[in-house]
């Protein structure tokens, strides 16, 4: 099925551990995004990649790094996880043309203890 | 960046009644306003969007209105059904042209059978 695939779906980390969240899309979209979702705060943009080979910071980039591996894949890395990074993480993609909606993945629920 | 406010945070309606969710935005240059529906355990899904060159758009039981002068837009769901129960998010683009979306904090809609 066409869409955005995120792995893993669930993850528990200890404070200070590192991990990479994977995202892949098969819609030939140019732009990809990483959001975090916290109760009462909606979806906040962490990083985005407007096109293959470029990445930029969003609203809440501290503590994260990203890699646009190729047109299909966009990964999010936590180098040293903190309890404040407990959240649900969503990857999304879009054609990149102005005023077109996003397609979201099903999310990764991350708990940092 | 763009600031999007959404009200109410929770909404309960009887099946068959109408539901209205309202959002305001801060950036007068914003010109794209999508609405997303998020069901439990899933990623947000685009249900309707409106661009700044129109004031209203309708798709079966859902409609969106936009008032650019007042910088607010609303989602209207008529003849609500239990399957409409979900969290709804409004969003608006920023002025950078990067097609980044800024989201409201969400409205949890419950349709009571």
């Amino acid at each position: 099925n066409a869409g955005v695939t995120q792995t893993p779906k669930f993850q528990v980390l200890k404070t200070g551990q590192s991990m990479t969240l994977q995202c892949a899309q098969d819609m030939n979209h140019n732009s990809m995004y990483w959001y975090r979702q916290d109760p009462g705060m909606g979806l906040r943009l962490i990083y985005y990649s407007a096109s293959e080979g470029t990445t930029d910071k969003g609203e809440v980039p501290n503590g994260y790094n990203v890699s646009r591996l190729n047109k299909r894949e966009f990964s999010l890395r936590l180098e040293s996880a903190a309890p404040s990074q407990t959240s649900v993480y969503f990857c999304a993609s879009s054609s990149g043309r102005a005023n077109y909606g996003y397609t979201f993945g099903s999310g990764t629920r991350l708990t940092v203890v | 960046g763009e600031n999007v406010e959404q009200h109410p945070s929770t909404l309960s309606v009887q099946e068959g009644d109408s539901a209205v969710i309202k959002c305001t935005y801060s950036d007068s240059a914003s010109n794209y306003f999508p609405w997303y529906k998020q069901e439990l355990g899933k990623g947000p899904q685009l249900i309707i969007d409106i661009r700044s060159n129109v004031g209203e758009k309708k798709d079966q039981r859902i409609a969106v209105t936009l008032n650019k002068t007042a910088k607010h837009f609303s989602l209207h769901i008529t003849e609500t059904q239990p399957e409409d129960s979900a969290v709804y998010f409004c969003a608006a683009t920023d002025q950078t042209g990067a097609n980044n979306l800024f989201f409201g904090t969400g409205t949890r809609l419950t349709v009571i059978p």
Side-chain angles (χ1 to χ4, degrees):
Chain A
N1 292 333
V4 178
T5 303
Q6 290 184 236
T7 55
K9 294 188 181 301
F10 302 94
Q11 184 71 49
V12 179
L13 289 178
K14 294 182 178 179
T15 298
Q17 287 185 319
S18 62
M19 78 162 295
T20 300
L21 281 64
Q22 306 287 352
C23 175
Q25 53 90 9
D26 58 5
M27 295 171 287
N28 200 35
H29 281 169
N30 291 313
S31 302
M32 299 185 73
Y33 312 84
W34 276 105
Y35 283 85
R36 61 178 288 174
Q37 184 176 33
D38 302 293
M41 302 188 75
L43 293 148
R44 292 181 293 167
L45 182 64
I46 304 172
Y47 269 93
Y48 67 98
S49 172
S51 61
E52 185 178 357
T54 68
T55 60
D56 285 286
K57 296 178 180 180
E59 299 172 84
V60 288
N62 291 344
Y64 305 95
N65 285 300
V66 291
S67 295
R68 183 74 182 267
L69 305 171
N70 48 56
K71 191 171 186 179
R72 291 187 63 247
E73 298 173 287
F74 188 39
S75 62
L76 178 71
R77 183 161 178 83
L78 288 71
E79 291 290 353
S80 179
S84 60
Q85 295 178 304
T86 293
S87 187
V88 181
Y89 292 85
F90 287 99
C91 177
S93 70
S94 77
S95 66
R97 291 178 291 168
N99 303 338
Y100 279 83
Y102 295 179
T103 300
F104 281 87
S106 58
T108 296
R109 184 175 293 276
L110 176 66
T111 302
V112 183
V113 298
Chain B
E2 174 73 275
N3 182 42
V4 179
E5 295 189 357
Q6 183 172 349
H7 300 281
S9 57
T10 61
L11 179 61
S12 293
V13 300
Q14 293 288 335
E15 182 177 357
D17 288 350
S18 295
V20 180
I21 303 170
K22 299 181 179 182
C23 290
T24 61
Y25 60 98
S26 60
D27 185 354
S28 58
S30 293
N31 54 12
Y32 176 63
F33 308 92
W35 286 87
Y36 288 82
K37 176 183 181 182
Q38 186 178 27
E39 297 176 335
L40 193 62
K42 297 183 179 180
Q45 183 177 13
L46 179 69
I47 55 172
I48 195 168
D49 56 16
I50 190 167
R51 293 169 175 77
S52 59
N53 57 344
V54 298
E56 184 174 1
K57 183 177 179 180
K58 189 174 182 179
D59 182 4
Q60 299 183 354
R61 295 187 297 107
I62 61 173
V64 58
T65 60
L66 171 65
N67 183 326
K68 286 216 72 180
T69 301
K71 291 191 285 187
H72 66 72
F73 56 113
S74 300
L75 177 71
H76 304 253
I77 306 174
T78 59
E79 301 173 17
T80 54
Q81 301 169 3
E83 52 265 38
D84 294 329
S85 295
V87 179
Y88 291 82
F89 291 96
C90 62
T93 50
D94 65 0
Q95 61 178 340
T96 66
N99 201 39
N100 291 341
L101 288 177
F102 290 81
F103 287 81
T105 51
T107 297
R108 181 174 299 278
L109 173 65
T110 302
V111 180
I112 304 166

